[in-house]
């Protein structure tokens, strides 16, 4: 076969393939890997929608977690209200009919890390450098765990920056322990639904802070440096 003829066949084949893709009616394939997103969750027109932080995209929400509905309505009892949500799930193509066609896609939520009606939310500048954030009340305390240490803040006490030893305990419990001023300090995190006793904010991790002989309870959530598998819940 002569060279010009081979070139003609190649050009004809490439033109045919281009024509097939040009007139294809198939929907583009949505990304399947699980995504963790933070943003605002709203209920409008009988449907949850989710807008990621500092973005203009809006997704319809499909709750596969069995937790999102209850967490939302306990904090936002009215239509049109919004809450901050930290969620993991799968991004899918938008619905082909109905109001969903106006969205930027479907967010099928499989894990609820936290839902809050108050707090820093999208403006939390420390989130990207955080492994865990835990807090409790009566009296108020707050612990942020990072790669190189943890910082404890309590009302009436100076903030403490501490090194730590981390230990995984059977049952999914993770312990961060340290010592300051002759007292042992331990933060234990365990999977389980938790609600802040004052704000009502929801998370999927329970926290226990032990300082010497004093034990305080609280809630926790993973930062950007840590995305654990959510505990399983029975249907």
């Amino acid at each position: 076969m002569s060279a010009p003829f081979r070139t003609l066949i190649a050009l004809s084949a490439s033109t045919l393939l281009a024509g097939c893709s040009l007139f294809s009616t198939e929907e583009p394939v949505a990304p399947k890997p699980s995504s963790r997103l933070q943003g605002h969750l709203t209920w409008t027109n009988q449907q949850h929608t989710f807008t990621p932080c500092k973005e203009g995209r809006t997704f319809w929400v499909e709750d596969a977690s069995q937790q999102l509905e209850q967490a939302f309505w306990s904090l936002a009892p009215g239509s049109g209200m919004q809450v901050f949500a930290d969620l993991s799930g799968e991004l899918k193509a938008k619905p082909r009919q109905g109001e969903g066609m106006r969205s930027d896609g479907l967010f099928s939520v499989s894990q609820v890390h936290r839902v809050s009606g108050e707090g820093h939310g999208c403006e939390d500048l420390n989130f990207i450098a955080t492994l865990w954030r835990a807090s409790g009340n009566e009296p108020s305390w707050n612990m942020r765990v990072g790669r190189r240490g943890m910082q404890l803040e309590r009302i009436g006490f100076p903030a403490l920056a501490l090194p730590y030893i981390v230990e995984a305990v059977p049952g999914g419990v993770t312990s961060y322990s340290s010592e300051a001023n002759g007292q042992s300090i331990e933060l234990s995190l365990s999977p389980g639904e938790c609600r802040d006793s004052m704000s009502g904010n929801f998370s999927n991790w329970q926290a226990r802070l032990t300082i010497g002989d004093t034990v305080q309870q609280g809630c926790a959530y993973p930062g950007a440096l840590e995305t654990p598998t959510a505990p399983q819940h029975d249907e």
Side-chain angles (χ1 to χ4, degrees), residues 84-216:
F84 172 82
D86 182 359
L87 313 168
S88 285
E90 183 180 338
L91 294 175
K92 300 180 179 179
K94 63 185 179 182
R96 298 185 179 184
Q97 58 185 3
E99 291 293 326
M101 293 181 64
R102 301 179 182 179
S103 70
D104 293 294
L106 180 69
F107 189 20
S108 180
V109 177
S110 57
Q111 296 182 32
V112 179
H113 300 293
R114 54 181 164 141
V115 177
S116 58
E118 59 181 58
H120 295 292
C122 289
E123 307 305 320
D124 184 0
L125 301 180
N126 292 318
F127 176 72
I128 60 173
T130 299
L131 277 170
W132 290 95
R133 190 72 175 260
S135 61
N137 303 300
E138 300 178 0
S140 175
W141 62 272
N142 190 302
M143 179 81 85
R144 186 170 71 88
V145 182
R147 291 285 192 205
R148 299 182 179 180
M150 56 187 183
Q151 180 169 313
L152 173 63
E153 297 178 350
R154 293 182 292 163
I155 289 181
F157 295 89
L160 289 176
L162 305 164
Y164 61 74
I165 297 174
V166 61
E167 180 182 5
V169 182
V173 178
T174 302
S175 170
Y176 294 87
S177 58
S178 188
E179 186 174 325
N181 302 322
Q183 285 188 316
S184 61
I185 299 176
E186 181 181 20
L187 176 68
S188 296
L189 305 170
S190 57
E193 293 186 12
C194 191
R195 287 191 180 276
D196 185 275
S197 59
M198 295 186 68
S199 67
N201 291 347
F202 172 90
S203 73
N204 241 325
W205 291 82
Q206 300 171 357
R208 184 183 66 192
L209 176 65
T210 305
I211 302 177
D213 297 328
T214 302
V215 179
Q216 290 182 263

